[in-house]
Amino acid sequence: MAIQRKHTMFHSTIVDAGPDAVWAVVRDAMQVVKIVSGPAAKDVHWAEGGSVEQVPSRYDFTLVFNDGLVQQEVAGRNEVDRSQTYRAIAPTMGVENYAATIRVRPITNDPNRSYFEWARELEIADDADPEVVGAIIAMMEKQTDSVRDHFASPEK
């Protein structure tokens, strides 16, 4: 995969849970990091007095594969539209800028399922290690499926 200086990603999936149930979980950045990263992230915590109810709110975690510190911030949230935007507050591992929005939408004819989408924009540093950036992007490409799988019924 060729990594471009400006890299845009969009992933979506159908989740086997109603939009309110999904939103109750994914509006909490700590839960999202744990769901999508599992053992690949450690020391996941709110920083500088941040919390799930405070916007903006900073949180940090460390990627296990290279001990890279990730510092991000919930930058905006819309409870009515069930959307949340977050961004990197410091460059990390070759990613100079990062912004993302997650959104949970209802499925009109199926109130027990929802549509989950994740849009991201990354700016890659000219001197970034292609293997590290490739590993980060590969991890991100699987994260929407992790959200879907988190809500899947055990019998499916």
Side-chain angles (χ1 to χ4, degrees):
M1 156 183 34
I3 297 171
Q4 302 169 359
R5 176 123 168 83
K6 291 201 182 237
H7 193 81
T8 302
M9 303 171 74
F10 182 84
H11 296 96
S12 62
T13 191
I14 301 297
V15 177
D16 286 331
D20 291 337
V22 175
W23 180 243
V25 173
V26 302
R27 70 185 291 279
D28 181 350
M30 298 300 94
Q31 293 300 315
V32 172
V33 172
K34 289 173 184 172
I35 290 168
V36 303
S37 300
K42 64 182 180 181
D43 194 25
V44 181
H45 64 279
W46 292 107
E48 298 178 352
S51 74
V52 68
E53 297 304 328
Q54 180 180 320
V55 176
S57 208
R58 182 173 152 201
Y59 59 97
D60 296 346
F61 58 94
T62 301
L63 292 175
V64 172
F65 82 93
N66 68 350
D67 265 344
L69 177 64
V70 177
Q71 298 173 308
Q72 294 185 344
E73 170 184 77
V74 174
R77 180 183 302 137
N78 184 320
E79 297 286 354
V80 174
D81 290 341
R82 294 183 198 94
S83 68
Q84 182 160 276
T85 300
Y86 53 99
R87 66 183 185 91
I89 60 168
T92 183
M93 297 164 286
V95 178
E96 290 182 335
N97 289 306
Y98 172 72
T101 300
I102 58 173
R103 184 172 286 120
V104 180
R105 298 180 189 265
I107 295 177
T108 318
N109 63 351
D110 193 345
N112 296 318
R113 298 173 85 203
S114 52
Y115 181 75
F116 178 80
E117 61 186 48
W118 202 331
R120 308 175 205 217
E121 293 181 8
L122 298 87
E123 253 183 70
I124 310 301
D126 290 331
D127 62 347
D129 180 336
E131 286 186 31
V132 171
V133 172
I136 291 169
I137 290 172
M139 182 175 63
M140 288 178 174
E141 288 178 343
K142 298 174 185 167
Q143 291 178 334
T144 303
D145 289 346
S146 296
V147 172
R148 179 201 61 215
D149 295 349
H150 175 78
F151 290 97
S153 300
E155 66 271 7
K156 291 189 177 185

